Amino acid sequence: MVRRIDVTGTDGARLAAWEFADPPKEHTGTVGEDAGHTPGTGHTLGTGRPPGTGDAAGAGRAPGADQAPGAPGVLLLHGLMGRASHWAPTARWLAERYRAVGLDQRGHGRSDKPAEGPYTREAYVGDAEAAIEQLGLGPVTVVGHAMGALTGWQLAAKRPDLVRALVICDMRASALGAASQREWTDWFASWPLPFATLADVRKWFGEDDPWVERPNPSRGEFYAEVMTETEDGWRPVFSRHQMLRSRATWVFDAHWEELAQVRCPALVLRGLDGELGRAEAQEMVRVLPRGQYAEVADAGHLVHYDQPEGWRAAVEPFLEQLAEDPRGDREPVAP
């Protein structure tokens, strides 16, 4: 079961948070009936009712009502171009023991996409901070992928009272530079929009995209999830221009200093074929006061999509360690 909870972010932006939980015994609806969404279909979460009216499963119940009282919170932050529904498989197993909430970050999913932004690091961090406080999640474990991981560690540095632990998935602390931004600009321009069908989306991003070294069906599914049907075909739910603006606020800078300010336990996780190299990942672990390291074989940048079982096998022991050591007194595990 998944239900939408609207929260208010920086500058009044309306953000869609999605709470995942097992359906209570008295509830008979299905995820598809309540949330209007089946992961992997490219359709959106939510029913299309007006924001703030209780427009998904579980409307009217208190946040976290389906979990045991006091269930620890987990906030799931997607990366650039992602959306909360990308976390659905992860959230399902998390919901057995945690209050799992995914956030559509500004410019993404069903959250506001203000034409003038802001799409700054401060705005993204402020949005996550607001979501945690308004949902009563803190202190929370933040699980972030790529840009979402950066948001997580910047938030942990800014508000250590709100973040009890952190999972950093395939995000570099070093600057990527101007060349990287130019490559992304060219890549966005190469998209053959609109796509006639979702099958075309899956094929292009999974096979035909020049950035794909070998066929990758999970990559195709990832991008099918962020497409919406329009009058002339399938287009992304986000603005590519806004994505470039968002990316420009962090690719030119290194983020080691903020990483060193993260005091909570933190897991740095990478796919062996991802964008975060082993040497940099292990240096990130060294810089983190309480860092740990994990890697997932046969996975690229989209670790949780490429190898969901390997992803769970890497993340779950870290979370179980936190449950056994709630004060965070255990010594970090060396890489």
Side-chain angles (χ1 to χ4, degrees):
M1 182 184 67
V2 61
R3 68 188 184 106
R4 172 175 171 167
I5 309 170
D6 286 338
V7 298
T8 303
T10 305
D11 291 350
R14 181 184 57 82
L15 307 174
W18 304 91
E19 184 166 7
F20 298 82
D22 292 331
K25 290 183 176 60
E26 71 273 15
H27 183 71
T28 59
T30 66
V31 171
E33 292 167 348
D34 289 327
H37 168 80
T38 301
T41 64
H43 295 286
T44 55
L45 284 160
T47 61
R49 298 176 196 157
T53 60
D55 56 350
R61 289 194 303 278
D66 297 328
Q67 284 80 18
V74 177
L75 181 66
L76 301 155
L77 297 178
H78 59 74
L80 193 73
M81 301 182 293
R83 66 186 310 167
S85 61
H86 282 140
W87 291 113
T90 296
R92 288 193 187 100
W93 60 261
L94 283 173
E96 297 172 3
R97 296 179 59 181
Y98 305 91
R99 184 181 171 204
V101 178
L103 181 68
D104 279 341
Q105 297 176 78
R106 63 175 53 226
H108 298 76
R110 296 296 292 271
S111 289
D112 281 351
K113 304 169 179 62
E116 300 304 320
Y119 293 100
T120 62
R121 286 284 82 222
E122 292 78 13
Y124 280 107
V125 172
D127 287 347
E129 182 179 0
I132 292 170
E133 291 182 328
Q134 291 171 40
L135 295 170
L137 284 174
V140 69
T141 296
V142 177
V143 177
H145 174 247
M147 181 190 74
L150 176 59
T151 298
W153 88 60
Q154 290 179 327
L155 174 63
K158 177 186 177 184
R159 291 290 308 272
D161 58 310
L162 290 184
V163 183
R164 70 184 296 262
L166 182 64
V167 176
I168 298 169
C169 180
D170 216 61
M171 180 63 191
R172 300 177 61 182
S174 58
L176 301 180
S180 173
Q181 191 72 345
R182 288 194 298 270
E183 289 174 356
W184 273 71
T185 301
D186 293 342
W187 178 59
F188 275 142
S190 74
W191 289 17
L193 296 175
F195 293 96
T197 67
L198 278 179
D200 292 333
V201 173
R202 295 185 180 98
K203 184 176 186 302
W204 195 82
F205 286 101
E207 301 177 24
D208 300 338
D209 183 348
W211 280 21
V212 176
E213 294 181 359
R214 59 181 181 273
N216 186 343
S218 63
R219 188 173 187 269
E221 290 293 340
F222 180 94
Y223 283 98
E225 190 78 6
V226 293
M227 295 289 160
T228 188
E229 190 170 21
T230 64
E231 292 183 356
D232 61 350
W234 292 84
R235 295 180 178 273
V237 299
F238 52 78
S239 159
R240 290 171 292 168
H241 174 69
Q242 289 178 356
M243 295 300 99
L244 287 172
R245 286 176 60 190
S246 173
R247 196 172 185 272
T249 66
W250 51 266
V251 296
F252 300 110
D253 301 312
H255 306 283
W256 294 99
E257 183 175 348
E258 291 158 304
L259 192 70
Q261 296 171 16
V262 175
R263 311 307 300 180
C264 63
L267 175 67
V268 178
L269 188 152
R270 59 181 288 269
L272 289 186
D273 299 319
E275 297 178 8
L276 176 61
R278 178 177 288 149
E280 182 170 354
Q282 293 187 345
E283 179 63 13
M284 290 169 66
V285 172
R286 189 192 69 79
V287 168
L288 283 160
R290 308 215 50 200
Q292 301 183 30
Y293 175 78
E295 58 187 33
V296 178
D298 299 320
H301 179 59
L302 305 174
V303 183
H304 53 304
Y305 245 61
D306 288 342
Q307 294 294 336
E309 293 183 1
W311 159 258
R312 179 174 182 175
V315 172
E316 199 164 30
F318 175 72
L319 299 179
E320 290 175 349
Q321 175 184 309
L322 296 174
E324 295 169 1
D325 186 30
R327 294 181 302 169
D329 293 336
R330 181 177 297 189
E331 289 298 317
V333 176

